[in-house]
Amino acid sequence: MAYNSNFDVDAVMGVLGTIGERFQDGTHEDEALRIAAVALLYVREKGTLDDYREYFRKFFIPASESIVVAQSFSTMEEAEAWLAQGLGQEGHLVRVAGKGFRVIPRRKGGGLVFLRTPLPEEMEP
């Protein structure tokens, strides 16, 4: 399920209130709902709602969806030419003929090289 990081705080508070009506005052459930509601109000009142929205978004995005491929190539020759032109940067993840590679510093002599780094789709059964 995808979660909306641009949620409406007032709508969330309404839902928490509706759920809270199902529990008696003083129960663990009542306490947990009150804590969540007050925490959300605190974030909004402190002016950090945008920061929280970004945290929320990152928290629920699967790691595989947050991986960004900088460039894709049909052949390793194309990828090597791109790297030789100085277009790649250390840490870039590239796709070459459907396989992942990370741009890393060369151990000896300077410059950059590719290190085989499987992409998330390569790890799926």
Side-chain angles (χ1 to χ4, degrees), residues 17-84:
T18 300
I19 295 170
E21 292 172 359
R22 300 178 188 164
F23 301 101
Q24 291 184 3
D25 286 348
T27 62
H28 292 296
E29 294 84 358
D30 174 64
E31 180 182 28
L33 289 167
R34 286 179 193 271
I35 290 169
V38 171
L40 189 54
L41 289 174
Y42 177 83
V43 167
R44 180 169 68 181
E45 288 180 20
K46 286 294 187 178
T48 57
L49 186 56
D50 288 339
D51 292 339
Y52 178 73
R53 288 182 193 285
E54 181 62 16
Y55 176 81
F56 182 87
R57 185 187 67 76
K58 288 180 180 176
F59 188 88
F60 284 105
I61 291 177
S64 63
E65 290 182 23
S66 65
I67 294 174
V68 177
V69 174
Q71 193 75 27
S72 292
F73 304 96
S74 298
T75 66
M76 184 54 83
E77 290 75 23
E78 291 175 17
E80 294 286 351
W82 174 80
L83 199 57

Side-chain angles (χ1 to χ4, degrees), residues 69-89 92-103 113-114 119 121-122:
V69 174
Q71 193 75 27
S72 292
F73 304 96
S74 298
T75 66
M76 184 54 83
E77 290 75 23
E78 291 175 17
E80 294 286 351
W82 174 80
L83 199 57
Q85 293 171 15
L87 299 173
Q89 296 178 10
H92 273 164
L93 183 64
V94 300
R95 181 181 290 114
V96 180
K99 297 184 179 184
F101 293 84
R102 174 92 43 205
V103 177
V113 296
F114 290 114
L119 298 168
E121 61 261 26
E122 293 180 74

